[in-house]
Amino acid sequence: VDFNFWGVTFAADDNTFYATLASGGKTYLVKGDLAARSVVVLRDGVECPSLSPDGTKIAFKQRTSGLGPIQWRPAVLDLATLADHPLAETRSVDDQIEWLDDATVLYRMPESPSGSAVVNTWATPADGSGRPSLFLPQAESAVIAGRAAR
């Protein structure tokens, strides 16, 4: 009754998936196996996961503490170690991050901090270096289509 799943991202094998699980007031990153009809918890504090094209990393948003409304910090998790690092973006990103390629992520941001109806798609390096750059003005959350099959 207390399980809520969202933010599902699939691996190239069409069987493995990752998702957010909320239960008991906490959020977790889970890894699922469709054929086995099972999920296992990998770690806590990961929301809206997005699997990298090479299948080795998860981009996600994590809650940051503080007063006022919830703030989200984009980060990348290494699936081999389950260690994460923040991205160069310091604004709150409330979006399911998308991978442009193995080195760059995309996400939407309102044009103004007050929540403008106009949003833009931004890009930032997935390794935490560099700085965010405008990728596509006046564009909602980007979706990269047509990736080659692996």
Side-chain angles (χ1 to χ4, degrees):
V1 171
D2 184 35
F3 278 33
N4 182 17
F5 295 93
W6 72 88
V8 179
T9 183
F10 284 89
D13 66 9
D14 293 329
N15 181 64
T16 306
F17 67 92
Y18 298 87
T20 301
L21 163 65
S23 182
K26 293 187 77 174
T27 58
Y28 304 92
L29 174 66
V30 296
K31 180 179 181 180
D33 182 314
L34 287 174
R37 299 179 58 97
S38 67
V39 294
V40 295
V41 173
L42 297 181
R43 61 163 274 187
D44 67 348
V46 174
E47 293 193 40
C48 298
S50 179
L51 186 62
S52 62
D54 67 7
T56 64
K57 299 175 287 294
I58 295 276
F60 67 100
K61 66 182 190 179
Q62 60 188 162
R63 284 181 193 241
T64 59
S65 59
L67 300 174
I70 296 171
Q71 297 290 304
W72 303 99
R73 182 75 192 260
V76 169
L77 173 81
D78 181 316
L79 285 169
T81 64
L82 297 183
D84 67 69
H85 63 270
L87 299 183
E89 179 61 75
T90 57
R91 297 171 292 179
S92 181
V93 175
D94 188 7
D95 193 20
Q96 181 145 1
I97 299 167
E98 170 70 22
W99 290 85
L100 175 62
D101 53 39
D102 287 326
T104 310
V105 297
L106 303 173
Y107 48 90
R108 72 181 283 281
M109 292 293 300
E111 197 160 280
S112 73
S114 63
S116 168
V118 176
V119 295
N120 301 308
T121 296
W122 287 77
T124 195
D127 65 3
S129 69
R131 47 196 276 185
S133 61
L134 182 62
F135 180 75
L136 197 58
Q138 298 184 11
E140 278 286 343
S141 300
V143 174
I144 305 304
R147 285 206 176 100
R150 296 184 198 276

